[in-house]
Amino acid sequence: MKKMFLCSSFKDSYSLLSHFAGESLKGKSVTFIPVASAVEEVTHYVEAAKEAFHQLEMQIETVDMGKQSVQEIACRIESNDVIYVSGGNTFYLLQELRKHHLDSVLKEEMSKGKLYIGESAGSIIMAPSIEYISLMDDQQKAPELSSFQGFNEISVFPVPHRHHAYLGEAAQQIIEQYQHTHALCPLTDEQVLLITGEQTEVKLAQ
């Protein structure tokens, strides 16, 4: 059964993770995929997410697509307990996952019920399409991306960083432009879209 924790900001919402997982996460291993941040100037959320996993006493294995083989990365995704995909540029993230054929690996593991955690871009790629996020992310950073089709694992379109000091304006523009054509799911940094099988719920971290 599909189990997804789709958030806007992991450091602001990780307190909900243990309850959602339904088990102790202490000692569990996380495949940490930060590739979306590689083309961004602001990347503090990557270290913040690592700190959140340390607070949960989970073991992090960081993936480096520039240095590790596809087979090695796929093996880590398959053997570790949890998958985490960070924020950053959504278009670049999708480009790199496709280029390394990791989209199919992720989908396969998720279909087995492995817990998937997406932060911002990591959440958006699960939508039917990522084209709508171009008001927030720069498409030009992914020149090799030939299709905006997302993983299509969810029927809604997450809009992260609602009311955020810097990204809130872009989030609001997306809401105004696409609210009548897309099933948008706006999320503040403290909210999470929780998916268990066919059940979906938005929860607020206290």
Side-chain angles (χ1 to χ4, degrees):
M1 184 167 58
K2 203 158 49 180
K3 206 160 179 64
M4 305 168 73
F5 185 97
L6 304 181
C7 63
S8 177
S9 169
F10 188 59
K11 77 176 180 65
D12 293 307
S13 59
Y14 77 93
S15 60
L16 295 172
L17 186 62
S18 295
H19 183 264
F20 175 66
E23 61 179 334
S24 171
L25 295 172
K26 184 177 180 179
K28 296 280 187 184
S29 55
V30 184
T31 304
F32 192 99
I33 305 176
V35 66
S37 68
V39 292
E40 299 291 84
E41 292 178 15
V42 178
T43 60
H44 59 81
Y45 45 85
V46 175
E47 292 307 315
K50 287 182 179 178
E51 177 57 31
F53 282 119
H54 286 313
Q55 292 293 326
L56 293 167
E57 298 184 70
M58 299 176 75
Q59 306 299 316
I60 298 169
E61 285 199 48
T62 304
V63 162
D64 186 337
M65 290 189 186
K67 296 180 180 176
Q68 293 170 299
S69 69
V70 172
Q71 290 78 12
E72 187 179 351
I73 296 170
C75 185
R76 284 197 177 188
I77 292 170
E78 290 161 3
S79 60
N80 288 335
D81 301 306
V82 177
I83 300 160
Y84 164 84
V85 178
S86 87
N89 186 282
T90 310
F91 298 98
Y92 183 75
L93 171 60
L94 195 57
Q95 171 187 284
E96 294 304 294
L97 291 176
R98 284 208 185 122
K99 193 197 296 187
H100 292 82
H101 308 293
L102 294 174
D103 50 343
S104 56
V105 178
L106 290 175
K107 285 183 99 131
E108 176 65 22
E109 290 304 298
M110 288 163 59
S111 72
K112 296 176 185 174
K114 183 166 290 186
L115 175 58
Y116 175 90
I117 302 166
E119 177 173 2
S120 196
S123 299
I124 295 161
I125 58 168
M126 292 298 149
S129 166
I130 67 166
E131 188 172 10
Y132 73 103
I133 211 68
S134 62
L135 289 169
M136 187 178 288
D137 290 354
D138 184 3
Q139 292 181 23
Q140 304 303 315
K141 292 184 177 179
E144 299 170 61
L145 185 64
S146 59
S147 166
F148 295 131
Q149 183 179 344
F151 278 48
N152 202 24
E153 290 290 327
I154 56 177
S155 58
V156 296
F157 298 77
V159 183
H161 311 302
R162 191 176 198 187
H163 307 316
H164 186 274
Y166 302 107
L167 297 169
E169 187 177 342
Q172 189 57 38
Q173 287 177 348
I174 290 167
I175 292 167
E176 289 172 5
Q177 182 164 329
Y178 292 99
Q179 60 185 336
H180 300 301
T181 56
H182 291 54
L184 300 179
C185 180
L187 298 169
T188 66
D189 281 1
E190 293 77 27
Q191 288 179 309
V192 185
L193 173 61
L194 303 172
I195 294 158
T196 307
E198 298 304 313
Q199 291 186 314
T200 64
E201 178 187 13
V202 174
K203 287 200 79 170
L204 178 68
Q206 301 302 317

